[in-house]
Amino acid sequence: MSLQKLKKRLTRYNDRQEDWALVRKAYQFALEAHAGQKRVSGDSYITHPLGVAYILADLELDLVTIVTGLIHDVLEDTPVSYEEIEKEFGEEIAQLVDGVTKLSRMEFRSKEEHQAETWRKMFVAMARDIRVILVKLADRTHNMRTLRYLSDAKQKEIARETLEIYAPLAHRLGIYRIKWELEDLSFRYFNKKEYYDLVDKLSKKRKEREEFINEVIAVLKSRLQETGIDAEISGRPKNIYSIYTKMKEQQKDFNEIYDLTAVRVIVDSVRDCYAALGVVHTLWRPIPGHFNDYIAMPKPNMYQSLHTTVVCPENELLEVQIRTWDMHRTAEYGIAAHWRYKEKVRDDREFQEKLSWLRQLLDWQQDLKDAHEFMEHLKIDLFTDEVFVFTPRGDVIDLPAGSIPLDFAYKIHTDVGNHCVGAKVNGRIVPLDYTLKIGDIVEIITSNQGTPSRDWLKMVKSSQAKSKIRAWFKKERKEENIAKGKEALEKEIRRLQLEPHLLLKEQLLEEVGRRFNLLSGEDVYAAVGYGGVSAHQVISRLREEYRKKFGEEKQPPQPVQLKPWKESARAAKGVRVQGVDNLLVRFSKCCSPLPGDEIVGFVTRGRGVSIHRMDCPNVASASAGDERTINVSWETDSEVSYPVEIEVTAMDRPNLLTEVMHAVSESKVNITAVHGRTTKQKIAVIYLTFVVRNLEHLELILARIKKVKDVFSVRRHTGASAPQEKGAKQSLRKGR
């Protein structure tokens, strides 16, 4: 590649001397910036920007884009600053170069996150000026042409990314000459054996195929001339990758693929297109279901053409494409064709409408905070084919292939999707998971009571619909999502044999939240609850943050083997009665004393000594001046567990009891009873009975419960309900 070769290509469509002077200036600027740099091949680095500029000139792009191609790497690979580029070439070119530049100077936690953030930046830049991605496509195309100098592993990695992202993007932009080249080059490096096997088979059939096409062209040209249609006809061999994918999708051998070549007919007017189609169908029998009118219903990438598949003599299948010269130019260059014939590109309303898919992509990608999810959705939105359906009024709606009525509903309007309860296709009621076909007339049935279902996220095909469904759950059911997300995180943390209270610290949650563009710990819980991020993704980042701040996570202590508490008249272990051995001892249920409480014994008739807390109201009233009280003390090193009842007061809401129970169960204790009630003021009162080791153990559990949202108070229950309390007093007074 040389500067003269670039000049020769550029001057075919732009011979203004002042423009060429700016190109020379950009070349000199890049040459000095990249001085001393070499490519892996050993060539001087300037050969790469020259190659990129040539590809852009081959697409007949404007001067600004050519200059950007020449200096597109200086921000990333040299000390040159944005301000220097702006000073030398102006703001427009500087912004384009910045949009193309990868985010290599930022720190990312993973390669996938780096890739996702790079694409986010480029899509935002594309929204301002689509030429950003045209330069990027040219950059990738030149790199693919010189991929042979890299290692096998690197070749496969770059080829995979090109096949998954760049080739589909070229398709979306309608630049088919770039798309086909990127697909074939990627296929060549990603699956070398299959590629060269197919190339060998095609070369063996080439002569036979060329003879067949020449015969078809001669017959068709003669018949078109008879009807007065002036046309240029040529054979277009299908690119190797498209043949390969067809073999895989249809599970056919190479010898079973007949339409290896398409015939392209280019005429002067739309009227001639349909007239030529009539001629083709009179010459050869059309195959039902294999006709597409992309003139009446253009693809979102502006592609227009008539496609039909016919059966020729000896049962040879032939695809025929018919279009005008303007349509052909757009088919070859796509959006790139726009700059040659339009002046104020960004003010062109029609042009902006052609990029509506990009606006939609930008809308839904704002809600996708996780790098893996963003990249997966990006591949789906770029790579899936389209299906064209109609509204009852006859408006054409394009959707990803495989879409269902819910995708259609959300494409019409967010409220239509949120309130969808059914659908009609071609006048018949169909299930919501019905797969739409080209030409279907779709009508959505709505109801004010209708709301989205979480199952819809698994059903819909378009990222736009998924984004809007998630947004509804995020807004309408935040409390439920928070509880559901917290439960999911705690469950996953325990499965990993870690302690929830260590990882689910507010400080750590907020730090992780910032990485997902979430503002608080509650937002992290909610995001997990509505499916915005997965529990696994959050926990992996929580563990990273924990290690940074505190070191390795602590393994949870082995659960204490607590002996189940049973009400019995046998002597209770853990309590020593002063001066007496072998007495029957029982713990009072009215106050449930624990090691650490001040306790007193009360001698009963026939039931030994009853142990109460010193502040138990029953003991206080019954033992005033009573000689039956006796000194007792706790035994040290006792492994006995003790029952305790607590009272929790909170604002009533869904999942409150579940969250309180989880807070208790975090301590690995056995809950023996639970009951509760709700007041007219929507205040919930919950009574829990469980077994603990001592007072310190209880206080730890009470502290955890107090952290549950909407809990007002947590206290130890100093007596059962009123009737039980009364009965306890009578029992003490009677000495039972």
Side-chain angles (χ1 to χ4, degrees):
M1 180 58 61
S2 65
L3 187 61
Q4 287 305 311
K5 189 175 181 181
L6 174 61
K7 182 179 181 180
K8 185 177 179 181
R9 184 65 188 87
L10 178 64
T11 51
R12 285 188 194 174
Y13 67 96
N14 182 353
D15 57 0
R16 286 179 292 194
Q17 289 302 310
E18 61 271 24
D19 288 354
W20 175 245
L22 184 62
V23 173
R24 282 189 61 87
K25 178 182 176 182
Y27 168 77
Q28 197 63 38
F29 186 87
L31 187 64
E32 293 173 6
H34 293 293
Q37 294 180 358
K38 298 283 187 181
R39 303 202 80 204
V40 178
S41 62
D43 294 334
S44 176
Y45 194 87
I46 194 64
T47 58
H48 173 61
L50 263 176
V52 171
Y54 185 87
I55 293 169
L56 295 169
D58 205 33
L59 293 173
E60 300 188 355
L61 283 164
D62 64 322
L63 177 67
V64 168
T65 314
I66 305 297
V67 171
T68 301
L70 281 168
I71 62 174
H72 75 277
D73 271 341
V74 296
L75 272 182
E76 183 178 349
D77 297 332
T78 76
V80 172
S81 67
Y82 178 92
E83 289 72 20
E84 289 178 74
I85 297 175
E86 187 177 22
K87 181 181 177 182
E88 292 291 329
F89 300 100
E91 183 182 5
E92 185 179 14
I93 290 174
Q95 286 183 349
L96 281 173
V97 173
D98 183 56
V100 176
T101 302
K102 295 175 185 174
L103 307 184
S104 55
R105 297 176 184 175
M106 293 180 65
E107 291 185 6
F108 296 97
R109 296 166 181 84
S110 68
K111 182 172 182 181
E112 190 168 46
E113 186 175 349
H114 180 284
Q115 186 186 41
E117 290 306 318
T118 302
W119 279 97
R120 283 184 202 274
K121 182 182 179 185
M122 285 208 303
F123 280 124
V124 172
M126 281 169 64
R128 292 196 300 264
D129 196 325
I130 196 70
R131 289 173 292 184
V132 167
I133 205 62
L134 299 181
V135 176
K136 193 66 183 172
L137 283 172
D139 175 48
R140 178 51 61 107
T141 303
H142 188 262
N143 282 331
M144 289 300 297
R145 289 175 180 176
T146 55
L147 198 61
R148 63 185 178 277
Y149 297 107
L150 300 181
S151 65
D152 283 352
K154 199 67 178 175
Q155 285 176 358
K156 287 187 176 181
E157 180 187 334
I158 294 173
R160 178 190 287 275
E161 183 187 48
T162 303
L163 205 53
E164 290 180 345
I165 300 292
Y166 287 93
L169 192 54
H171 169 79
R172 273 291 198 161
L173 296 173
I175 313 173
Y176 285 96
R177 60 161 58 185
I178 294 291
K179 176 203 172 187
W180 293 327
E181 182 176 359
L182 289 177
E183 284 180 342
D184 284 353
L185 286 170
S186 299
F187 181 35
R188 172 182 169 185
Y189 290 106
F190 185 67
N191 195 335
K192 291 183 179 180
K193 183 179 183 302
E194 297 273 10
Y195 174 83
Y196 285 109
D197 282 350
L198 200 51
V199 168
D200 184 55
K201 290 174 181 176
L202 283 169
S203 63
K204 290 177 180 177
K205 270 197 165 188
R206 180 175 298 161
K207 186 177 180 181
E208 175 187 336
R209 199 166 63 250
E210 287 176 352
E211 289 177 358
F212 167 70
I213 288 299
N214 289 336
E215 289 176 12
V216 166
I217 290 174
V219 171
L220 182 56
K221 194 172 187 67
S222 174
R223 186 62 63 89
L224 288 173
Q225 286 175 345
E226 289 175 10
T227 55
I229 299 174
D230 186 20
E232 180 176 301
I233 308 173
S234 61
R236 184 189 70 80
K238 290 194 174 182
N239 66 310
I240 297 171
Y241 183 70
S242 68
I243 297 171
Y244 172 76
T245 53
K246 189 169 187 177
M247 289 167 58
K248 291 297 180 184
E249 288 171 3
Q250 299 181 6
Q251 296 183 337
K252 290 184 176 180
D253 187 68
F254 176 79
N255 295 323
E256 298 176 275
I257 304 295
Y258 297 104
D259 54 336
L260 298 175
T261 307
V263 169
R264 182 177 295 144
V265 180
I266 305 176
V267 295
D268 295 326
S269 67
V270 173
R271 180 181 175 182
D272 286 347
C273 288
Y274 289 99
L277 177 68
V279 171
V280 171
H281 284 176
T282 56
L283 280 171
W284 303 292
R285 179 169 55 86
I287 298 177
H290 284 70
F291 168 68
N292 290 300
D293 188 346
Y294 295 118
I295 294 178
M297 292 187 296
K299 290 187 176 184
N301 61 16
M302 303 187 294
Y303 179 86
Q304 287 184 287
S305 188
L306 297 176
H307 287 198
T308 186
T309 303
V310 295
V311 182
C312 294
E314 299 180 9
N315 291 324
E316 287 276 5
L317 298 183
L318 175 71
E319 183 185 50
V320 182
Q321 301 172 357
I322 307 170
R323 61 181 71 142
T324 66
W325 286 102
D326 283 342
M327 294 174 190
H328 178 62
R329 193 173 295 110
T330 299
E332 289 290 295
Y333 298 104
I335 282 176
H338 200 80
W339 271 268
R340 185 179 176 190
Y341 300 96
K342 303 284 184 182
E343 288 301 324
K344 297 178 181 177
V345 176
R346 281 169 288 184
D347 296 330
D348 185 351
R349 183 176 300 175
E350 181 186 354
F351 177 72
Q352 294 300 323
E353 289 175 359
K354 298 297 185 183
L355 294 180
S356 60
W357 64 271
L358 174 58
R359 309 276 182 256
Q360 293 165 9
L361 186 147
L362 284 170
D363 286 342
W364 64 253
Q365 68 92 11
Q366 296 295 333
D367 292 327
L368 298 178
K369 311 303 179 186
D370 177 69
H372 176 75
E373 188 177 8
F374 173 81
M375 293 308 296
E376 285 303 308
H377 280 71
L378 179 61
K379 293 169 189 175
I380 291 170
D381 265 41
L382 290 179
F383 204 52
T384 50
D385 291 327
E386 298 87 22
V387 57
F388 297 93
V389 295
F390 295 93
T391 67
R393 293 182 179 180
D395 297 326
V396 179
I397 302 295
D398 64 286
L399 296 165
S403 291
I404 62 176
L406 284 171
D407 292 290
F408 176 89
Y410 279 104
K411 185 70 177 279
I412 298 299
H413 195 278
T414 303
D415 286 341
V416 175
N418 287 341
H419 297 297
C420 175
V421 293
K424 289 183 179 180
V425 174
N426 303 325
R428 293 187 303 106
I429 292 179
V430 297
L432 289 178
D433 60 355
Y434 170 86
T435 302
L436 297 175
K437 301 176 180 63
I438 292 176
D440 280 345
I441 301 173
V442 187
E443 181 181 352
I444 300 299
I445 304 168
T446 61
S447 168
N448 290 334
Q449 286 72 45
T451 58
S453 163
R454 289 190 183 277
D455 293 336
W456 290 6
L457 288 169
K458 300 175 184 176
M459 295 163 55
V460 294
K461 181 72 174 178
S462 65
S463 297
Q464 182 184 17
K466 288 181 180 179
S467 175
K468 290 181 177 180
I469 294 168
R470 284 197 185 96
W472 187 89
F473 279 107
K474 183 178 180 180
K475 180 180 177 183
E476 298 293 328
R477 298 190 178 177
K478 187 172 182 180
E479 293 298 328
E480 180 184 334
N481 289 330
I482 289 172
K484 187 173 181 180
K486 188 174 183 181
E487 181 181 348
L489 286 172
E490 289 175 348
K491 183 178 179 181
E492 181 66 12
I493 289 171
R494 288 195 192 91
R495 189 186 68 79
L496 296 171
Q497 297 186 339
L498 299 171
E499 282 281 17
H501 75 276
L502 292 177
L503 291 180
L504 298 182
K505 295 177 185 291
E506 187 65 24
Q507 177 188 7
L508 298 179
L509 286 168
E510 288 179 358
E511 187 64 35
V512 170
R514 280 192 284 272
R515 295 168 69 170
F516 292 107
N517 293 334
L518 301 170
L519 299 178
S520 66
E522 282 193 351
D523 289 341
V524 175
Y525 288 137
V528 175
Y530 69 75
V533 293
S534 71
H536 176 73
Q537 291 159 353
V538 171
I539 290 169
S540 65
R541 285 164 172 75
L542 281 171
R543 296 182 73 175
E544 286 177 26
E545 293 300 326
Y546 187 93
R547 288 171 188 147
K548 286 180 187 176
K549 290 180 170 59
F550 309 110
E552 286 297 317
E553 307 102 311
K554 297 176 183 177
Q555 290 294 325
Q558 293 300 315
V560 178
Q561 298 298 317
L562 299 176
K563 297 178 181 178
W565 172 77
K566 294 181 181 178
E567 183 180 3
S568 68
R570 294 179 297 172
K573 294 183 178 179
V575 173
R576 186 182 301 258
V577 180
Q578 185 176 352
V580 184
D581 289 329
N582 298 323
L583 273 180
L584 291 175
V585 178
R586 58 186 293 273
F587 293 104
S588 171
K589 291 181 69 176
C590 62
C591 58
S592 301
L594 296 174
D597 288 328
E598 292 185 25
I599 54 175
V600 64
F602 193 89
V603 179
T604 64
R605 293 175 184 173
R607 300 183 67 183
V609 178
S610 178
I611 308 299
H612 292 258
R613 281 164 40 197
M614 192 69 79
D615 60 353
C616 177
N618 292 340
V619 171
S621 60
S623 61
D626 198 322
E627 295 181 354
R628 285 178 294 174
T629 59
I630 188 169
N631 291 330
V632 293
S633 61
W634 296 104
E635 289 183 339
T636 57
D637 303 326
S638 173
E639 294 184 0
V640 179
S641 58
Y642 305 89
V644 63
E645 184 177 20
I646 65 167
E647 179 186 281
V648 181
T649 307
M651 179 66 70
D652 189 30
R653 62 173 174 81
N655 294 314
L656 173 65
L657 179 60
T658 302
E659 292 180 38
V660 171
M661 298 277 280
H662 274 302
V664 176
S665 62
E666 279 183 348
S667 300
K668 312 292 183 186
V669 299
N670 183 27
I671 300 173
T672 60
V674 58
H675 65 281
R677 57 189 172 85
T678 304
T679 68
K680 292 180 180 179
Q681 291 76 32
K682 299 294 183 183
I683 302 298
V685 183
I686 303 170
Y687 298 97
L688 285 170
T689 303
F690 46 84
V691 290
V692 295
R693 297 186 298 276
N694 50 40
L695 188 60
E696 185 182 352
H697 190 192
L698 172 64
E699 288 174 349
L700 175 65
I701 296 171
L702 296 185
R704 284 179 173 166
I705 297 173
K706 286 176 183 176
K707 292 181 180 179
V708 175
K709 188 177 179 185
D710 294 328
V711 169
F712 302 144
S713 66
V714 185
R715 66 185 182 90
R716 218 166 141 185
H717 201 37
T718 56
S721 59
Q724 293 172 320
E725 186 175 312
K726 181 179 178 181
K729 288 180 180 178
Q730 291 173 349
S731 174
L732 285 168
R733 286 171 183 160
K734 291 177 182 177
R736 291 183 294 175

